[in-house]
Amino acid sequence: AAMDLFGDLRRMNKRQLYYQVLNFAMIVSSALMIWKGLIVITGSESPIVVVLSGSMEPAFHRGDLLFLTNFHDDPIRAGEIVVFKVEGRDIPIVHRVIKIHEKENGDIKFLTKGDNNEVDDRGLYKEGQNWLEKKDVVGRARGFLPYVGMVTIIMNDYPKFKVCI
């Protein structure tokens, strides 16, 4: 298959090759513009995430694609599903807010837990951290598409599959 590709490239004249490269560059730049536009519109650094574990079942299943917003003016409420990052971990976590601790000055701290987990998330937070803060939130779940993210999970679980594509 790779040899056929190189054969096709050799048979193209320079104008055809430039046209193909330009088309590819336009597709990539369009995708980046759409992604950056979503970031601006949603207020979230990551407006779309894939659920990677079963910790939120039955609300969300492994492979569900979540759509996030993160407007800082919206207060965080108990029962809301948030996506948060913990210092020292690369992958964001999707869990439900179970407790809110609000100070008199308006600062809010909160505790999360996966719906399918027995205990709260304090064991997932960085050492000595008992509560999350708004700065830890990547986004809040606003909608989802079931199982659309399974391709991402398959590529993460089976790296050889990436080569096949």
Side-chain angles (χ1 to χ4, degrees):
M3 296 308 273
D4 291 341
L5 177 66
F6 289 122
D8 290 342
L9 288 175
R10 282 193 201 112
R11 284 191 290 276
M12 286 185 192
N13 64 37
K14 285 184 181 180
R15 181 175 289 195
Q16 289 172 321
L17 183 62
Y18 290 140
Y19 182 71
Q20 292 299 321
V21 169
L22 185 61
N23 273 338
F24 181 74
M26 287 179 66
I27 290 168
V28 170
S29 63
S30 294
L32 286 172
M33 285 189 290
I34 290 168
W35 182 255
K36 289 295 186 180
L38 283 173
I39 289 172
V40 170
I41 291 167
T42 63
S44 175
E45 69 186 57
S46 185
I48 299 171
V49 295
V50 175
V51 178
L52 298 176
S53 75
S55 66
M56 279 303 294
E57 291 180 4
F60 298 122
H61 297 275
R62 197 166 185 247
D64 288 353
L65 189 71
L66 300 182
F67 300 103
L68 309 178
T69 62
N70 195 21
F71 302 117
H72 293 283
D73 296 342
D74 291 346
I76 293 175
R77 307 228 184 272
E80 187 172 26
I81 296 170
V82 296
V83 178
F84 61 92
K85 271 190 173 177
V86 177
E87 192 177 311
R89 291 181 182 257
D90 294 333
I91 299 172
I93 300 168
V94 179
H95 281 175
R96 190 177 304 275
V97 175
I98 59 169
K99 288 183 184 176
I100 301 276
H101 179 69
E102 191 169 356
K103 294 183 179 178
E104 287 183 24
N105 66 359
D107 287 347
I108 293 175
K109 294 187 177 194
F110 56 95
L111 181 63
T112 56
K113 177 185 170 295
D115 290 356
N116 202 22
N117 293 348
E118 295 293 322
V119 296
D120 63 43
D121 290 343
R122 285 190 171 130
L124 297 175
Y125 304 161
K126 72 178 181 181
E127 191 174 328
Q129 184 179 9
N130 291 322
W131 300 88
L132 291 176
E133 298 176 26
K134 262 190 162 179
K135 68 176 177 57
D136 300 314
V137 175
V138 173
R140 302 158 191 213
R142 298 297 185 209
F144 76 103
L145 288 173
Y147 304 111
V148 174
M150 283 307 288
V151 173
T152 303
I153 290 176
I154 290 169
M155 289 196 307
N156 281 338
D157 289 354
Y158 307 101
K160 291 179 183 177
F161 186 74
K162 287 181 188 176
V163 178
C164 296
I165 295 176

